[in-house]
Amino acid sequence: MVSIKLDNVSLVYKLHDKLTLSAPDRRVGGPGGRIEGSGRKQFVQALDGVSFELKAGDRLGLVGPNGAGKTTLLKVLYGIYEPSGGNVAIEGKVDALFNINIGFRREATGRRNIVLRGLISGWTEAEIEEKMNDIIAFSELGDFIDLPFKAYSQGMAARLAFSVATALDPEILLMDEWIGAGDASFQEKAKRRMDELAEKAGIIVLASHSEALIQSVCTKKMTLTGGRIKSLTPEPVKQTETDA
Amino acid sequence: MIAALNGAFDDISKAMKLHRVWVALAHEDIGDQHRRTTLGPLWLLVNYIAFVGTFVFVFQPAGKDAAGYAAYVAIGLLVWFYLMEVMSMSVALFQREESFIEGTTLPLFVYVMRLALQSVIRAGYAIVGCVVILLFSGSHLGMPWLWSLAGLFLILFTTPPLITVFAFLGAFFPDSQFIVGNLLRVGMFFTPVFWMNKGQDPVQKYAYEWNPFTYFLEIVRLPIINGEFPAHAFIVTIIAALATWAIALLLLGRYRKQVVFLI
Ligand SMILES: Nc1ncnc2c1ncn2[C@@H]1O[C@H](COP(=O)(O)OP(=O)(O)OP(=O)(O)O)[C@@H](O)[C@H]1O
Ligand SMILES: [Mg+2]
């Protein structure tokens, strides 16, 4: 059963943990999480007491100002960051799309990059071979697939990244602001694929500043500010929120 | 302690299941480094031969030692360059892999093995050159070469933990990148790579006996040069290898989740 359950999750970025011979630099705060401590022991509270549950078929839109903790939350869900406190329980095969350039090799061709990405996601060679043509067709990159990745435009890179990440039917798909680069026709296509994915009882979590995108893709919306949940709509049936 | 070891073994076994990833990435790395060059990775062989040639030309002793010197330097440089490359590439390993570490959930040991394999492939070119030089300088293929081969395998066995230790060092203590780089450059003179220990010069004797790298060189070199099994060197190397593994496992087990916050 595909599910995500977060219980009072917090995450702290420590800024001066590294041992260094140089004088500590002064980091200046902007919007976003709270900067606490001083001197060598500064830290940013990027997530604070985050609790929510998602079930199969849920499509959650994450919104909030810059630095609210959206990317951080996605990385906690993916397992890149171990939370500083609280519990994360995830059932299901997770795939994620962060920065579109992450995990791609600039010198390698699109085709080779598909193979590498597949291997990284734990696919077998047979699975990659089987999906290769679908991925290329879906990305509509045509002959560009045999050109090095560095020759791609942002939107072309986004097409490739999305096609690969959704090719093996992930049960949980996490996406961070990726879609802006794709053109209208590709966004439409991507939306249809996400619909399919959610219908197969998957979970989608999408962080975006585009209200329209969230409206059209998501069934739930969570607003984060300063690392805390400000609102979650529709409200969960059982009210389990304890922190005020 | 037990939890740390479990964590480390978990990371390592996951990385071993993903061996296709690091094999593919290591090949990409080699290809990238030599893209658009005519000789490609053969440059590694050319470099190595040029180095050995230079040392032989400048330092070859007169008299009866002369013949053996080429073999001595050839093996010394082979092992030393390999170790030096492994260590100097390791200190910035996690920083170099930043985009993968922050964007995927690959176990850290994948990056370790990627670098290990890449270094081994690169050393492979030098090994070809080394064997050619050995045959030309009058060494005969024989049983003792098997001891040298065992020595090479021992070095291979020590490579992943060595990379791990230096990679964590570089992640937690960024200044170490420069310190290690400088130490390695100086280290060549304190390691019997191209000089022979005659036991007369006290500094030389000290550098020979107390430098762990001496033994890594000697397990490969002594069997071929002297035709004997260097038991003492093997024992020291095995102890060093196990100690490195122990440290690497503890670091990996205890700190692997912290690395992403440090780079
Ligand atoms: N590697 C890091 N080191 C230190 N602090 C960080 C790091 N990454 C993020 N932060 C801090 O954590 C907080 C949350 O950042 P996060 O990237 O999650 O925000 P976001 O909601 O994704 O913002 P945006 O809309 O700009 O993408 C911010 O205050 C940010 O400064
Ligand atoms: Mg973000």
Side-chain angles (χ1 to χ4, degrees):
Chain A
M1 194 59 204
V2 183
S3 70
I4 293 178
K5 187 170 192 293
L6 264 66
D7 185 23
N8 203 20
V9 166
S10 65
L11 190 125
V12 175
Y13 290 106
K14 299 197 196 81
L15 291 181
H16 289 303
D17 218 4
K18 272 189 248 193
L19 300 161
T20 169
L21 301 175
S22 69
D25 55 325
R26 296 261 152 258
R27 304 216 182 189
V28 187
R34 275 163 296 129
I35 302 173
E36 284 163 38
S38 62
R40 290 187 80 81
K41 285 246 175 300
Q42 275 193 315
F43 49 91
V44 177
Q45 181 88 37
L47 292 177
D48 188 5
V50 173
S51 309
F52 65 89
E53 262 178 75
L54 296 175
K55 297 184 302 295
D58 280 346
R59 290 178 252 180
L60 177 71
L62 277 182
V63 294
N66 292 130
K70 304 182 292 297
T71 303
T72 308
L73 178 56
L74 288 174
K75 288 190 171 176
V76 168
L77 293 177
Y78 195 28
I80 294 172
Y81 293 151
E82 195 163 71
S84 324
N87 271 314
V88 180
I90 293 187
E91 299 283 334
K93 199 171 64 171
V94 191
D95 219 318
L97 279 171
F98 296 113
N99 184 338
I100 42 180
N101 294 317
I102 276 181
F104 283 108
R105 284 188 74 86
R106 291 177 47 73
E107 299 287 339
T109 65
R111 197 183 289 274
R112 180 78 183 142
N113 268 305
I114 295 176
V115 174
L116 292 176
R117 270 300 271 265
L119 291 175
I120 289 171
S121 309
W123 309 357
T124 64
E125 254 131 38
E127 282 171 324
I128 297 173
E129 197 53 44
E130 190 190 315
K131 291 283 171 183
M132 180 63 86
N133 288 333
D134 283 356
I135 295 173
I136 297 173
F138 190 85
S139 69
E140 296 170 355
L141 285 174
D143 292 340
F144 276 91
I145 203 69
D146 290 310
L147 254 48
F149 186 77
K150 64 181 174 189
Y152 290 11
S153 71
Q154 287 284 305
M156 290 160 80
R159 280 166 177 256
L160 186 65
F162 183 80
S163 309
V164 180
T166 54
L168 254 201
D169 304 324
E171 290 164 328
I172 298 173
L173 182 62
L174 311 171
M175 278 179 293
D176 190 9
E177 275 305 347
W178 63 276
I179 207 167
D183 56 28
S185 86
F186 189 73
Q187 293 204 14
E188 194 49 44
K189 212 171 151 180
K191 188 184 163 300
R192 275 203 305 281
R193 181 165 268 196
M194 287 191 276
D195 287 343
E196 282 167 32
L197 205 137
E199 270 152 29
K200 281 187 213 151
I203 295 179
I204 291 174
V205 183
L206 166 67
S208 176
H209 293 291
S210 155
E211 196 63 37
L213 177 68
I214 300 268
Q215 289 287 339
S216 75
V217 174
C218 300
T219 54
K220 288 186 171 179
K221 184 168 126 183
M222 187 162 95
T223 312
L224 281 174
T225 36
R228 291 169 194 259
I229 299 181
K230 195 173 158 210
S231 66
L232 180 60
T233 50
E235 296 284 322
V237 198
K238 294 180 292 182
Q239 196 70 20
T240 46
E241 296 274 14
T242 45
D243 53 322
Chain B
M1 181 93 164
I2 300 295
L5 287 183
N6 277 337
F9 287 124
D10 181 52
D11 196 85
I12 293 174
S13 75
K14 276 194 196 129
M16 288 306 156
K17 283 196 199 93
L18 288 167
H19 62 273
R20 286 194 189 82
V21 175
W22 46 265
V23 171
L25 288 174
H27 279 106
E28 291 287 321
D29 291 335
I30 300 279
D32 276 5
Q33 283 152 5
H34 301 279
R35 203 171 293 274
R36 297 203 308 252
T37 60
T38 22
L39 286 187
L42 282 180
W43 273 117
L44 298 167
L45 178 59
V46 175
N47 275 350
Y48 169 77
I49 298 211
F51 252 97
V52 177
T54 310
F55 273 99
V56 171
F57 181 72
V58 177
F59 292 107
Q60 185 159 46
K64 63 176 168 58
D65 281 347
Y69 188 71
Y72 187 90
V73 174
I75 300 176
L77 281 176
L78 172 74
V79 177
W80 175 254
F81 278 164
Y82 173 78
L83 290 174
M84 189 166 101
E85 183 175 296
V86 161
M87 287 183 282
S88 59
M89 299 272 284
S90 303
V91 262
L93 176 67
F94 294 149
Q95 280 90 336
R96 267 201 313 279
E97 305 280 10
E98 182 181 359
S99 94
F100 273 76
I101 293 177
E102 289 186 352
T104 68
T105 46
L106 288 175
L108 288 183
F109 208 67
V110 162
Y111 308 111
V112 171
M113 290 310 289
R114 171 187 183 175
L115 178 57
L117 182 60
Q118 190 191 329
S119 309
V120 169
I121 295 175
R122 292 164 65 84
Y125 289 90
I127 287 188
V128 173
C130 183
V131 171
V132 171
I133 293 172
L134 286 178
L135 294 178
F136 268 99
S137 68
S139 308
H140 295 289
L141 256 175
M143 282 307 281
W145 284 50
L146 288 180
W147 289 119
S148 289
L149 196 65
L152 283 179
F153 276 111
L154 192 48
I155 293 174
L156 217 57
F157 170 75
T158 321
T159 304
L162 199 62
I163 294 176
T164 310
V165 171
F166 277 87
F168 275 98
L169 180 72
F172 280 93
F173 187 47
D175 293 275
S176 64
Q177 290 172 32
F178 300 96
I179 298 172
V180 168
N182 284 329
L183 283 182
L184 286 175
R185 239 163 281 154
V186 179
M188 179 153 179
F189 299 97
F190 288 98
T191 311
V193 179
F194 59 90
W195 50 263
M196 292 180 180
N197 175 37
K198 299 278 195 306
Q200 283 145 2
D201 182 335
V203 177
Q204 236 178 28
K205 186 167 179 292
Y206 193 77
Y208 183 90
E209 283 169 4
W210 290 93
N211 183 344
F213 296 116
T214 298
Y215 302 97
F216 281 86
L217 265 63
E218 296 294 47
I219 53 172
V220 185
R221 189 159 56 192
L222 289 181
I224 290 182
I225 303 271
N226 295 354
E228 63 175 32
F229 173 62
H232 177 62
F234 262 95
I235 289 168
V236 175
T237 314
I238 287 171
I239 292 171
L242 294 178
T244 320
W245 265 110
I247 299 170
L249 289 176
L250 284 179
L251 286 172
L252 196 62
R254 189 153 297 174
Y255 298 114
R256 71 189 187 290
K257 291 286 179 190
Q258 253 102 300
V259 166
V260 65
F261 292 112
L262 287 169
I263 49 180

